[in-house]
PDB file of all heavy atoms in Angstrom:
ATOM      1  N   PHE A   1      22.294  -3.975   1.673  1.00  0.00           N
ATOM      2  CA  PHE A   1      22.033  -3.144   0.493  1.00  0.00           C
ATOM      3  C   PHE A   1      22.265  -1.670   0.594  1.00  0.00           C
ATOM      4  O   PHE A   1      22.198  -0.900  -0.439  1.00  0.00           O
ATOM      5  CB  PHE A   1      20.569  -3.436   0.002  1.00  0.00           C
ATOM      6  CG  PHE A   1      20.341  -4.769  -0.573  1.00  0.00           C
ATOM      7  CD1 PHE A   1      19.681  -5.836   0.223  1.00  0.00           C
ATOM      8  CD2 PHE A   1      20.614  -4.926  -1.854  1.00  0.00           C
ATOM      9  CE1 PHE A   1      19.482  -6.989  -0.317  1.00  0.00           C
ATOM     10  CE2 PHE A   1      20.340  -6.210  -2.504  1.00  0.00           C
ATOM     11  CZ  PHE A   1      19.755  -7.242  -1.662  1.00  0.00           C
ATOM     12  N   GLY A   2      22.586  -1.124   1.742  1.00  0.00           N
ATOM     13  CA  GLY A   2      22.704   0.239   1.923  1.00  0.00           C
ATOM     14  C   GLY A   2      21.412   0.884   2.322  1.00  0.00           C
ATOM     15  O   GLY A   2      20.309   0.498   2.193  1.00  0.00           O
ATOM     16  N   ILE A   3      21.646   2.208   2.595  1.00  0.00           N
ATOM     17  CA  ILE A   3      20.500   2.981   3.035  1.00  0.00           C
ATOM     18  C   ILE A   3      19.399   3.403   2.011  1.00  0.00           C
ATOM     19  O   ILE A   3      19.855   3.580   0.798  1.00  0.00           O
ATOM     20  CB  ILE A   3      20.935   4.212   3.757  1.00  0.00           C
ATOM     21  CG1 ILE A   3      21.601   5.270   2.915  1.00  0.00           C
ATOM     22  CG2 ILE A   3      21.861   3.950   5.016  1.00  0.00           C
ATOM     23  CD1 ILE A   3      21.988   6.577   3.487  1.00  0.00           C
ATOM     24  N   SER A   4      18.249   3.649   2.345  1.00  0.00           N
ATOM     25  CA  SER A   4      17.192   4.162   1.532  1.00  0.00           C
ATOM     26  C   SER A   4      16.578   5.443   2.047  1.00  0.00           C
ATOM     27  O   SER A   4      15.457   5.852   1.802  1.00  0.00           O
ATOM     28  CB  SER A   4      16.008   3.100   1.494  1.00  0.00           C
ATOM     29  OG  SER A   4      16.481   1.900   0.819  1.00  0.00           O
ATOM     30  N   THR A   5      17.352   6.065   2.904  1.00  0.00           N
ATOM     31  CA  THR A   5      16.905   7.453   3.513  1.00  0.00           C
ATOM     32  C   THR A   5      17.584   8.524   2.800  1.00  0.00           C
ATOM     33  O   THR A   5      18.701   8.473   2.493  1.00  0.00           O
ATOM     34  CB  THR A   5      17.079   7.408   5.000  1.00  0.00           C
ATOM     35  OG1 THR A   5      18.381   6.768   5.373  1.00  0.00           O
ATOM     36  CG2 THR A   5      16.068   6.759   5.810  1.00  0.00           C
ATOM     37  N   GLU A   6      16.836   9.588   2.718  1.00  0.00           N
ATOM     38  CA  GLU A   6      17.467  10.722   1.963  1.00  0.00           C
ATOM     39  C   GLU A   6      17.175  12.028   2.732  1.00  0.00           C
ATOM     40  O   GLU A   6      16.469  12.079   3.732  1.00  0.00           O
ATOM     41  CB  GLU A   6      16.793  10.847   0.486  1.00  0.00           C
ATOM     42  CG  GLU A   6      17.046   9.549  -0.309  1.00  0.00           C
ATOM     43  CD  GLU A   6      16.274   9.581  -1.578  1.00  0.00           C
ATOM     44  OE1 GLU A   6      15.441  10.653  -1.760  1.00  0.00           O
ATOM     45  OE2 GLU A   6      16.455   8.682  -2.375  1.00  0.00           O
ATOM     46  N   HIS A   7      17.753  13.243   2.290  1.00  0.00           N
ATOM     47  CA  HIS A   7      17.499  14.580   2.789  1.00  0.00           C
ATOM     48  C   HIS A   7      17.698  14.467   4.232  1.00  0.00           C
ATOM     49  O   HIS A   7      16.851  14.891   4.933  1.00  0.00           O
ATOM     50  CB  HIS A   7      15.937  15.003   2.431  1.00  0.00           C
ATOM     51  CG  HIS A   7      15.779  14.913   0.884  1.00  0.00           C
ATOM     52  ND1 HIS A   7      16.349  15.582  -0.048  1.00  0.00           N
ATOM     53  CD2 HIS A   7      14.709  14.247   0.322  1.00  0.00           C
ATOM     54  CE1 HIS A   7      15.874  15.438  -1.181  1.00  0.00           C
ATOM     55  NE2 HIS A   7      14.908  14.665  -0.984  1.00  0.00           N
ATOM     56  N   ASP A   8      19.056  14.147   4.514  1.00  0.00           N
ATOM     57  CA  ASP A   8      19.439  14.353   5.976  1.00  0.00           C
ATOM     58  C   ASP A   8      18.718  13.287   6.784  1.00  0.00           C
ATOM     59  O   ASP A   8      18.313  13.567   7.994  1.00  0.00           O
ATOM     60  CB  ASP A   8      19.348  15.747   6.496  1.00  0.00           C
ATOM     61  CG  ASP A   8      20.271  15.786   7.814  1.00  0.00           C
ATOM     62  OD1 ASP A   8      21.264  15.104   7.798  1.00  0.00           O
ATOM     63  OD2 ASP A   8      19.971  16.623   8.641  1.00  0.00           O
ATOM     64  N   ARG A   9      18.354  12.173   6.108  1.00  0.00           N
ATOM     65  CA  ARG A   9      17.677  11.093   6.868  1.00  0.00           C
ATOM     66  C   ARG A   9      16.122  11.300   7.370  1.00  0.00           C
ATOM     67  O   ARG A   9      15.654  10.489   8.004  1.00  0.00           O
ATOM     68  CB  ARG A   9      18.509  10.655   8.094  1.00  0.00           C
ATOM     69  CG  ARG A   9      19.896  10.353   7.817  1.00  0.00           C
ATOM     70  CD  ARG A   9      20.766  10.048   9.029  1.00  0.00           C
ATOM     71  NE  ARG A   9      22.054   9.520   8.796  1.00  0.00           N
ATOM     72  CZ  ARG A   9      23.139  10.257   8.553  1.00  0.00           C
ATOM     73  NH1 ARG A   9      23.023  11.714   8.825  1.00  0.00           N
ATOM     74  NH2 ARG A   9      24.315   9.802   8.288  1.00  0.00           N
ATOM     75  N   ILE A  10      15.546  12.267   6.787  1.00  0.00           N
ATOM     76  CA  ILE A  10      14.201  12.532   7.240  1.00  0.00           C
ATOM     77  C   ILE A  10      13.176  11.991   6.271  1.00  0.00           C
ATOM     78  O   ILE A  10      11.992  11.918   6.572  1.00  0.00           O
ATOM     79  CB  ILE A  10      13.895  14.108   7.466  1.00  0.00           C
ATOM     80  CG1 ILE A  10      14.157  14.812   6.188  1.00  0.00           C
ATOM     81  CG2 ILE A  10      14.838  14.645   8.592  1.00  0.00           C
ATOM     82  CD1 ILE A  10      13.738  16.256   6.316  1.00  0.00           C
ATOM     83  N   PHE A  11      13.730  11.534   5.003  1.00  0.00           N
ATOM     84  CA  PHE A  11      12.727  11.075   3.961  1.00  0.00           C
ATOM     85  C   PHE A  11      13.058   9.653   3.601  1.00  0.00           C
ATOM     86  O   PHE A  11      14.328   9.321   3.371  1.00  0.00           O
ATOM     87  CB  PHE A  11      12.843  11.968   2.800  1.00  0.00           C
ATOM     88  CG  PHE A  11      12.052  11.363   1.595  1.00  0.00           C
ATOM     89  CD1 PHE A  11      10.672  11.399   1.608  1.00  0.00           C
ATOM     90  CD2 PHE A  11      12.738  10.915   0.538  1.00  0.00           C
ATOM     91  CE1 PHE A  11      10.022  10.905   0.514  1.00  0.00           C
ATOM     92  CE2 PHE A  11      11.991  10.371  -0.590  1.00  0.00           C
ATOM     93  CZ  PHE A  11      10.708  10.365  -0.603  1.00  0.00           C
ATOM     94  N   LEU A  12      12.091   8.744   3.643  1.00  0.00           N
ATOM     95  CA  LEU A  12      12.292   7.377   3.289  1.00  0.00           C
ATOM     96  C   LEU A  12      12.004   7.127   1.905  1.00  0.00           C
ATOM     97  O   LEU A  12      10.821   7.427   1.484  1.00  0.00           O
ATOM     98  CB  LEU A  12      11.531   6.338   4.191  1.00  0.00           C
ATOM     99  CG  LEU A  12      11.646   4.868   3.783  1.00  0.00           C
ATOM    100  CD1 LEU A  12      13.088   4.404   4.062  1.00  0.00           C
ATOM    101  CD2 LEU A  12      10.598   4.131   4.619  1.00  0.00           C
ATOM    102  N   ASN A  13      12.810   6.757   1.026  1.00  0.00           N
ATOM    103  CA  ASN A  13      12.506   6.401  -0.403  1.00  0.00           C
ATOM    104  C   ASN A  13      11.865   5.041  -0.505  1.00  0.00           C
ATOM    105  O   ASN A  13      12.535   4.017  -0.500  1.00  0.00           O
ATOM    106  CB  ASN A  13      13.882   6.445  -1.236  1.00  0.00           C
ATOM    107  CG  ASN A  13      13.539   6.310  -2.725  1.00  0.00           C
ATOM    108  OD1 ASN A  13      12.684   5.623  -3.120  1.00  0.00           O
ATOM    109  ND2 ASN A  13      14.335   7.014  -3.511  1.00  0.00           N
ATOM    110  N   ASN A  14      10.458   5.144  -0.458  1.00  0.00           N
ATOM    111  CA  ASN A  14       9.640   3.944  -0.292  1.00  0.00           C
ATOM    112  C   ASN A  14       9.934   2.930  -1.532  1.00  0.00           C
ATOM    113  O   ASN A  14       9.950   1.697  -1.440  1.00  0.00           O
ATOM    114  CB  ASN A  14       8.220   4.230  -0.210  1.00  0.00           C
ATOM    115  CG  ASN A  14       7.838   4.726   1.083  1.00  0.00           C
ATOM    116  OD1 ASN A  14       8.032   4.127   2.097  1.00  0.00           O
ATOM    117  ND2 ASN A  14       7.443   6.015   1.203  1.00  0.00           N
ATOM    118  N   GLY A  15      10.125   3.543  -2.771  1.00  0.00           N
ATOM    119  CA  GLY A  15      10.434   2.676  -3.925  1.00  0.00           C
ATOM    120  C   GLY A  15      11.712   1.951  -3.867  1.00  0.00           C
ATOM    121  O   GLY A  15      11.778   0.829  -4.203  1.00  0.00           O
ATOM    122  N   LEU A  16      12.665   2.749  -3.375  1.00  0.00           N
ATOM    123  CA  LEU A  16      14.094   2.133  -3.276  1.00  0.00           C
ATOM    124  C   LEU A  16      14.098   0.988  -2.212  1.00  0.00           C
ATOM    125  O   LEU A  16      14.646  -0.022  -2.544  1.00  0.00           O
ATOM    126  CB  LEU A  16      15.096   3.226  -2.897  1.00  0.00           C
ATOM    127  CG  LEU A  16      16.507   2.832  -2.897  1.00  0.00           C
ATOM    128  CD1 LEU A  16      16.988   2.201  -4.223  1.00  0.00           C
ATOM    129  CD2 LEU A  16      17.381   3.932  -2.462  1.00  0.00           C
ATOM    130  N   ILE A  17      13.507   1.235  -1.133  1.00  0.00           N
ATOM    131  CA  ILE A  17      13.538   0.217  -0.030  1.00  0.00           C
ATOM    132  C   ILE A  17      12.640  -1.011  -0.366  1.00  0.00           C
ATOM    133  O   ILE A  17      13.051  -2.198  -0.185  1.00  0.00           O
ATOM    134  CB  ILE A  17      13.124   0.713   1.392  1.00  0.00           C
ATOM    135  CG1 ILE A  17      13.673  -0.274   2.402  1.00  0.00           C
ATOM    136  CG2 ILE A  17      11.739   0.993   1.540  1.00  0.00           C
ATOM    137  CD1 ILE A  17      13.637   0.409   3.862  1.00  0.00           C
ATOM    138  N   ALA A  18      11.580  -0.798  -1.181  1.00  0.00           N
ATOM    139  CA  ALA A  18      10.633  -1.858  -1.590  1.00  0.00           C
ATOM    140  C   ALA A  18      11.501  -2.833  -2.622  1.00  0.00           C
ATOM    141  O   ALA A  18      11.293  -4.026  -2.557  1.00  0.00           O
ATOM    142  CB  ALA A  18       9.457  -1.322  -2.301  1.00  0.00           C
ATOM    143  N   GLN A  19      12.249  -2.125  -3.469  1.00  0.00           N
ATOM    144  CA  GLN A  19      13.095  -3.026  -4.474  1.00  0.00           C
ATOM    145  C   GLN A  19      14.006  -3.826  -3.717  1.00  0.00           C
ATOM    146  O   GLN A  19      14.128  -5.059  -3.944  1.00  0.00           O
ATOM    147  CB  GLN A  19      13.836  -2.082  -5.306  1.00  0.00           C
ATOM    148  CG  GLN A  19      14.783  -2.723  -6.379  1.00  0.00           C
ATOM    149  CD  GLN A  19      15.630  -1.818  -7.124  1.00  0.00           C
ATOM    150  OE1 GLN A  19      15.959  -0.681  -6.654  1.00  0.00           O
ATOM    151  NE2 GLN A  19      15.872  -2.160  -8.373  1.00  0.00           N
ATOM    152  N   LYS A  20      14.729  -3.319  -2.605  1.00  0.00           N
ATOM    153  CA  LYS A  20      15.709  -4.108  -1.762  1.00  0.00           C
ATOM    154  C   LYS A  20      14.888  -5.293  -1.093  1.00  0.00           C
ATOM    155  O   LYS A  20      15.366  -6.411  -0.945  1.00  0.00           O
ATOM    156  CB  LYS A  20      16.436  -3.273  -0.997  1.00  0.00           C
ATOM    157  CG  LYS A  20      17.240  -2.160  -1.700  1.00  0.00           C
ATOM    158  CD  LYS A  20      17.858  -1.169  -0.645  1.00  0.00           C
ATOM    159  CE  LYS A  20      18.683  -0.086  -1.364  1.00  0.00           C
ATOM    160  NZ  LYS A  20      19.173   0.946  -0.576  1.00  0.00           N
ATOM    161  N   GLU A  21      13.780  -4.862  -0.436  1.00  0.00           N
ATOM    162  CA  GLU A  21      12.966  -5.946   0.218  1.00  0.00           C
ATOM    163  C   GLU A  21      12.508  -7.006  -0.716  1.00  0.00           C
ATOM    164  O   GLU A  21      12.320  -8.070  -0.306  1.00  0.00           O
ATOM    165  CB  GLU A  21      11.755  -5.227   0.937  1.00  0.00           C
ATOM    166  CG  GLU A  21      12.044  -4.220   2.060  1.00  0.00           C
ATOM    167  CD  GLU A  21      11.043  -3.381   2.586  1.00  0.00           C
ATOM    168  OE1 GLU A  21      10.046  -3.269   1.756  1.00  0.00           O
ATOM    169  OE2 GLU A  21      11.021  -2.994   3.693  1.00  0.00           O
ATOM    170  N   GLY A  22      12.421  -6.563  -1.959  1.00  0.00           N
ATOM    171  CA  GLY A  22      11.996  -7.704  -2.900  1.00  0.00           C
ATOM    172  C   GLY A  22      12.860  -8.779  -3.098  1.00  0.00           C
ATOM    173  O   GLY A  22      12.603  -9.848  -3.524  1.00  0.00           O
ATOM    174  N   PHE A  23      14.170  -8.538  -2.792  1.00  0.00           N
ATOM    175  CA  PHE A  23      15.126  -9.636  -2.793  1.00  0.00           C
ATOM    176  C   PHE A  23      15.166 -10.468  -1.504  1.00  0.00           C
ATOM    177  O   PHE A  23      15.978 -11.428  -1.356  1.00  0.00           O
ATOM    178  CB  PHE A  23      16.642  -9.017  -3.009  1.00  0.00           C
ATOM    179  CG  PHE A  23      16.752  -8.450  -4.417  1.00  0.00           C
ATOM    180  CD1 PHE A  23      16.829  -7.066  -4.560  1.00  0.00           C
ATOM    181  CD2 PHE A  23      17.031  -9.314  -5.472  1.00  0.00           C
ATOM    182  CE1 PHE A  23      16.865  -6.564  -5.898  1.00  0.00           C
ATOM    183  CE2 PHE A  23      17.086  -8.786  -6.852  1.00  0.00           C
ATOM    184  CZ  PHE A  23      17.124  -7.443  -6.976  1.00  0.00           C
ATOM    185  N   GLY A  24      14.260 -10.139  -0.665  1.00  0.00           N
ATOM    186  CA  GLY A  24      14.272 -10.871   0.660  1.00  0.00           C
ATOM    187  C   GLY A  24      14.871 -10.230   1.861  1.00  0.00           C
ATOM    188  O   GLY A  24      15.084 -10.825   2.932  1.00  0.00           O
ATOM    189  N   GLY A  25      15.232  -8.913   1.644  1.00  0.00           N
ATOM    190  CA  GLY A  25      15.936  -8.227   2.786  1.00  0.00           C
ATOM    191  C   GLY A  25      14.886  -7.537   3.573  1.00  0.00           C
ATOM    192  O   GLY A  25      13.757  -7.326   3.217  1.00  0.00           O
ATOM    193  N   ARG A  26      15.329  -7.238   4.798  1.00  0.00           N
ATOM    194  CA  ARG A  26      14.428  -6.459   5.770  1.00  0.00           C
ATOM    195  C   ARG A  26      15.309  -5.378   6.466  1.00  0.00           C
ATOM    196  O   ARG A  26      16.536  -5.493   6.446  1.00  0.00           O
ATOM    197  CB  ARG A  26      13.806  -7.402   6.851  1.00  0.00           C
ATOM    198  CG  ARG A  26      12.828  -8.320   6.281  1.00  0.00           C
ATOM    199  CD  ARG A  26      11.586  -7.610   5.701  1.00  0.00           C
ATOM    200  NE  ARG A  26      10.531  -8.593   5.111  1.00  0.00           N
ATOM    201  CZ  ARG A  26      10.503  -8.855   3.804  1.00  0.00           C
ATOM    202  NH1 ARG A  26      11.397  -8.553   2.938  1.00  0.00           N
ATOM    203  NH2 ARG A  26       9.413  -9.790   3.458  1.00  0.00           N
ATOM    204  N   THR A  27      14.655  -4.450   7.119  1.00  0.00           N
ATOM    205  CA  THR A  27      15.344  -3.282   7.606  1.00  0.00           C
ATOM    206  C   THR A  27      16.294  -3.606   8.724  1.00  0.00           C
ATOM    207  O   THR A  27      16.069  -4.263   9.820  1.00  0.00           O
ATOM    208  CB  THR A  27      14.255  -2.300   8.110  1.00  0.00           C
ATOM    209  OG1 THR A  27      13.479  -1.879   6.959  1.00  0.00           O
ATOM    210  CG2 THR A  27      14.977  -0.923   8.706  1.00  0.00           C
ATOM    211  N   GLY A  28      17.493  -2.936   8.632  1.00  0.00           N
ATOM    212  CA  GLY A  28      18.519  -2.873   9.581  1.00  0.00           C
ATOM    213  C   GLY A  28      18.895  -1.385   9.761  1.00  0.00           C
ATOM    214  O   GLY A  28      18.745  -0.748   8.603  1.00  0.00           O
ATOM    215  N   VAL A  29      19.335  -0.947  10.703  1.00  0.00           N
ATOM    216  CA  VAL A  29      19.598   0.550  10.863  1.00  0.00           C
ATOM    217  C   VAL A  29      21.079   0.877  11.134  1.00  0.00           C
ATOM    218  O   VAL A  29      21.859   0.037  11.644  1.00  0.00           O
ATOM    219  CB  VAL A  29      18.770   1.099  12.002  1.00  0.00           C
ATOM    220  CG1 VAL A  29      17.335   0.973  11.655  1.00  0.00           C
ATOM    221  CG2 VAL A  29      19.135   0.554  13.363  1.00  0.00           C
ATOM    222  N   TYR A  30      21.417   2.129  10.710  1.00  0.00           N
ATOM    223  CA  TYR A  30      22.642   2.645  10.963  1.00  0.00           C
ATOM    224  C   TYR A  30      22.361   3.675  12.023  1.00  0.00           C
ATOM    225  O   TYR A  30      21.647   4.699  11.728  1.00  0.00           O
ATOM    226  CB  TYR A  30      23.381   3.284   9.737  1.00  0.00           C
ATOM    227  CG  TYR A  30      23.693   2.493   8.562  1.00  0.00           C
ATOM    228  CD1 TYR A  30      24.067   3.060   7.325  1.00  0.00           C
ATOM    229  CD2 TYR A  30      23.534   1.147   8.633  1.00  0.00           C
ATOM    230  CE1 TYR A  30      24.422   2.379   6.215  1.00  0.00           C
ATOM    231  CE2 TYR A  30      23.856   0.363   7.450  1.00  0.00           C
ATOM    232  CZ  TYR A  30      24.275   0.900   6.291  1.00  0.00           C
ATOM    233  OH  TYR A  30      24.551   0.182   5.102  1.00  0.00           O
TER     234      TYR A  30
END
């Protein structure tokens, strides 16, 4: 689904990642 981090990777957009997790996804990292 692509990244949910912002502002040079120091901020996690909790709403955005929750939406993606809602489809059954879980965190993987770049």
Side-chain angles (χ1 to χ4, degrees):
F1 284 103
I3 65 171
S4 299
T5 39
E6 302 174 354
H7 304 302
D8 200 26
R9 303 175 172 92
I10 62 174
F11 172 71
L12 178 65
N13 187 325
N14 287 298
L16 181 58
I17 199 168
Q19 180 186 29
K20 297 169 183 177
E21 290 168 341
F23 289 102
R26 293 297 182 265
T27 298
V29 298
Y30 302 172

